[in-house]
Amino acid sequence: MNLEIALADLPPAAADRAAPALVELDLDELALAFAQRPENVARLLAAHAASVLALDLAAVDDAAPHYECAMRASTAAGSRDALLAELGARPALAARNRTNGHSA
């Protein structure tokens, strides 16, 4: 049984949401950021969820023009970047080096 999935095999919404770069998002870091700045993190999470939902809806709507999907993908990428910046997320390789290959 072949379980490999290519990006081309994903549904349109999932393919559009694929992160442009590999980022390690530590749940502990998310929890700490939320504890320190609950209003900011909650607002950014809600905004990103709305952006992703709008992108998914546009991607599966046959009547939606291509430019609308592109604009919604851009909006979702922007909200993702804002959230990751607030959380201080790091590229996965940098995070792996930070812990010398050990996870907590």
Side-chain angles (χ1 to χ4, degrees):
M1 174 189 267
N2 184 358
L3 296 177
E4 291 180 19
I5 299 175
L7 188 57
D9 297 331
L10 296 175
D16 288 343
R17 267 190 300 167
L22 183 61
V23 173
E24 180 178 277
L25 179 58
D26 187 346
L27 190 54
D28 295 342
E29 291 175 5
L30 174 61
L32 289 171
F34 182 77
Q36 293 169 354
R37 300 173 302 279
E39 298 84 14
N40 291 356
V41 174
R43 193 173 309 121
L44 288 167
L45 279 169
H48 184 56
S51 296
V52 169
L53 181 58
L55 172 59
D56 285 353
L57 292 174
V60 297
D61 183 0
D62 292 334
H66 180 68
Y67 69 84
E68 183 176 345
C69 288
M71 288 181 351
R72 292 182 189 265
S74 180
T75 300
S79 64
R80 179 188 310 109
D81 290 345
L83 180 58
L84 291 173
E86 178 71 17
L87 300 176
R90 301 165 188 82
L93 183 58
R96 191 173 307 123
N97 289 340
R98 174 177 51 96
T99 60
N100 293 328
H102 301 286
S103 60

